[in-house]
Amino acid sequence: ALHTICVDEDTEEIQQCIDYANRFDSNREKLIDTQLHSMRRADFCRLQGIERSNAAFYGDFDPLHLPEILALVGRTHGPAELHVALKSSIVTLFSTVDRVKCLEQEMA
């Protein structure tokens, strides 16, 4: 559901977010810091009146890229954020497993 943003109340916080985002040297750094950190991403969504779950966020990635993204989250944001990311992406991660091949290997 969309929320109405009251410019008078949110203007200062929005400006702080803009200033924060503009401090990065590259778009890659900005993306890693703002979008791969669950609390920062939630704050930005709230300011924009967007409700979005972590599962929906990680569901947008190609499942084959998720291990690399999760490793990046763990390296840059630590184990707590990695835990949040893993909980949010576990179903998508398991969708890449070839169950038949796993069973064949177990039986061999």
Side-chain angles (χ1 to χ4, degrees):
L2 294 177
H3 302 279
T4 303
I5 296 175
C6 182
V7 175
D8 295 336
E9 294 175 10
D10 293 334
T11 302
E12 186 175 326
E13 190 174 2
I14 291 169
Q15 187 60 53
Q16 288 173 349
C17 288
I18 292 169
D19 294 342
Y20 179 81
N22 285 333
R23 73 183 183 101
F24 294 98
D25 293 329
S26 72
N27 287 333
R28 177 183 164 85
E29 288 178 43
K30 186 186 319 183
L31 175 85
I32 291 168
D33 192 80
T34 60
Q35 296 302 308
L36 293 183
H37 190 283
S38 63
M39 296 305 292
R40 288 189 194 114
R41 185 174 59 253
D43 286 343
F44 288 128
C45 286
R46 180 186 49 76
L47 280 172
Q48 297 174 61
I50 299 169
E51 290 183 27
R52 182 161 177 141
S53 70
N54 286 323
F57 175 74
Y58 285 103
D60 286 344
F61 292 108
D62 182 325
L64 298 177
H65 295 274
L66 272 177
E68 185 178 341
I69 292 166
L70 293 170
L72 184 60
V73 169
R75 280 194 312 271
T76 57
H77 298 301
E81 277 299 313
L82 177 59
H83 181 74
V84 170
L86 281 169
K87 283 188 348 183
S88 302
S89 63
I90 196 74
V91 172
T92 305
L93 269 176
F94 281 136
S95 73
T96 64
V97 174
D98 184 346
R99 291 176 185 88
V100 173
K101 189 72 167 175
C102 287
L103 288 172
E104 288 173 355
Q105 288 177 348
E106 285 291 320
M107 297 175 85

